[in-house]
Amino acid sequence: MSKIIAVAGKGGVGKSTFSALVIKTIIRKTNDIILAVDADSNSTLAQMLGIDVESTIGDLREDLMKDPEGVPSAISKFEYVQYQLRLALAEGERFDLVTMGRPEGPGCYCYINNILRTYMDALTDKYAYIVIDNEAGMEHLSRRTTRTMDKFFIITDFTPIGFETAVRIHELAMGMDIKINDIYLVINRIPQESQTHQKILDLKESFPHIFFIPPDDELVNYAFDGRSILELPDDSKAVKAINEICKNAELM
Ligand SMILES: Nc1ncnc2c1ncn2[C@@H]1O[C@H](COP(=O)(O)OP(=O)(O)O)[C@@H](O)[C@H]1O
Ligand SMILES: [Mg+2]
């Protein structure tokens, strides 16, 4: 059974950065192969992981909606979709990445979504770890058939709106038909002296486990240069914080 790690939070709080650095930690500490899922329509995980994406699930879905007869006649639609989906799987050295891409437009996507779900379920069984980088609405999670989440990280920055969104995502997750084993709040880009702020103590009611990541200038520079953050040195502040979080959350 693969261990499913999901990451959610408001736009710009550091979800993709966190997902990429969790992947970096798993690569470091295990010999396992990871499946990374970029389920945010604002897809940036590939760039952070330093790989190219040729097509997304969203592109495939739209192509099939536009031209349902575009399937070569010798193969079934199911086989065709499977083949296209394999093409949408980008390979890194120790991980594969699937990018969900743009959200659904209007129309009935039931058929294609059913195929996608069957395929994704079969695919996910092959990996020891699955890291899902979600958008705030968690559309992708609510549609999964795999109804257990091992670790759920809600990321926020040190802002009231980030905190409010984190609480809302927590409620949303509780209302979904998904079993979540452990939920953690991660406050990103927070200076050490702010970690005992009253607002954070208030959050303890909803989140018994709260982790912190300090601001990291090295990370900012890597992002600016478009470099893969998998290459960040082990002594970078963010890498050290995420190693510690993975250890405390017993990820591996
Ligand atoms: N701890 C941190 N210190 C400094 N910059 C950070 C930190 N975490 C994230 N960032 C930067 O913040 C920006 C948004 O992060 P990102 O992971 O893309 O957010 P999200 O995926 O939630 O939209 C990126 O430019 C990233 O480099
Ligand atoms: Mg992102």
Side-chain angles (χ1 to χ4, degrees), residues 65-192:
M65 280 295 279
K66 252 188 273 157
D67 184 16
E69 304 313 318
V71 178
S73 57
I75 55 173
S76 74
K77 196 164 186 173
F78 189 81
E79 283 171 331
Y80 178 72
V81 174
Q82 280 203 321
Y83 169 74
Q84 292 288 337
L85 282 167
R86 265 197 299 275
L87 293 183
L89 199 66
E91 287 177 22
E93 207 167 302
R94 289 272 307 281
F95 62 87
D96 291 339
L97 169 73
V98 59
T99 302
M100 301 310 289
R102 55 183 149 163
E104 289 170 19
C108 179
Y109 288 82
C110 300
Y111 179 76
I112 164 88
N113 278 341
N114 278 337
I115 301 179
L116 277 173
R117 210 172 289 145
T118 311
Y119 176 82
M120 290 293 277
D121 284 350
L123 177 75
T124 48
D125 278 347
K126 293 197 319 211
Y127 299 89
Y129 292 90
I130 300 168
V131 178
I132 310 172
D133 178 12
N134 291 280
E135 27 74 79
M138 298 190 295
E139 279 292 312
H140 174 71
L141 287 190
S142 61
R143 270 195 262 114
R144 281 181 65 91
T145 45
T146 310
R147 292 295 178 193
T148 302
M149 200 87 59
D150 294 285
K151 307 283 173 190
F152 187 42
F153 291 97
I154 301 178
I155 319 292
T156 180
D157 49 9
F158 185 50
T159 64
I161 294 180
F163 287 8
E164 279 164 31
T165 310
V167 171
R168 216 171 322 126
I169 289 173
H170 185 248
E171 285 166 7
L172 193 65
M174 291 292 112
M176 289 192 319
D177 182 23
I178 289 180
K179 181 172 180 285
I180 302 175
N181 290 338
D182 297 302
I183 295 194
Y184 307 94
L185 181 70
V186 178
I187 306 180
N188 188 19
R189 257 184 263 149
I190 177 169
Q192 176 119 37

Side-chain angles (χ1 to χ4, degrees), residues 15-16 40 42 44 48 133:
K15 296 179 295 293
S16 302
D40 193 344
N42 176 26
T44 60
M48 288 192 187
D133 178 12

Side-chain angles (χ1 to χ4, degrees), residues 192-246:
Q192 176 119 37
E193 61 275 15
S194 305
Q195 293 181 6
T196 48
H197 193 283
Q198 183 57 44
K199 281 252 178 334
I200 295 174
L201 301 179
D202 295 345
L203 281 171
K204 289 249 174 201
E205 270 180 40
S206 309
F207 299 100
H209 306 285
I210 301 182
F211 297 126
F212 303 101
I213 304 172
D216 185 344
D217 287 341
E218 217 168 2
L219 188 57
V220 176
N221 290 334
Y222 268 62
F224 255 109
D225 297 342
R227 286 178 73 180
S228 162
I229 59 173
L230 293 181
E231 291 167 16
L232 267 175
D234 288 343
D235 64 354
S236 110
K237 285 185 194 163
V239 173
K240 282 199 326 211
I242 286 169
N243 276 336
E244 205 53 32
I245 292 173
C246 290

Side-chain angles (χ1 to χ4, degrees), residues 5-70:
I5 300 155
V7 181
K10 192 172 78 68
V13 293
K15 296 179 295 293
S16 302
T17 304
F18 182 84
S19 303
L21 290 178
V22 164
I23 290 168
K24 180 177 168 71
T25 304
I26 300 172
I27 289 174
R28 255 292 148 95
K29 308 270 180 197
T30 74
N31 293 317
D32 295 318
I33 308 288
I34 305 149
L35 176 66
V37 180
D38 189 343
D40 193 344
S41 51
N42 176 26
S43 321
T44 60
L45 194 56
Q47 192 187 355
M48 288 192 187
L49 295 172
I51 56 173
D52 292 325
V53 167
E54 308 221 335
S55 64
T56 71
I57 302 294
D59 296 337
L60 169 61
R61 205 199 283 120
E62 290 307 317
D63 285 350
L64 280 161
M65 280 295 279
K66 252 188 273 157
D67 184 16
E69 304 313 318

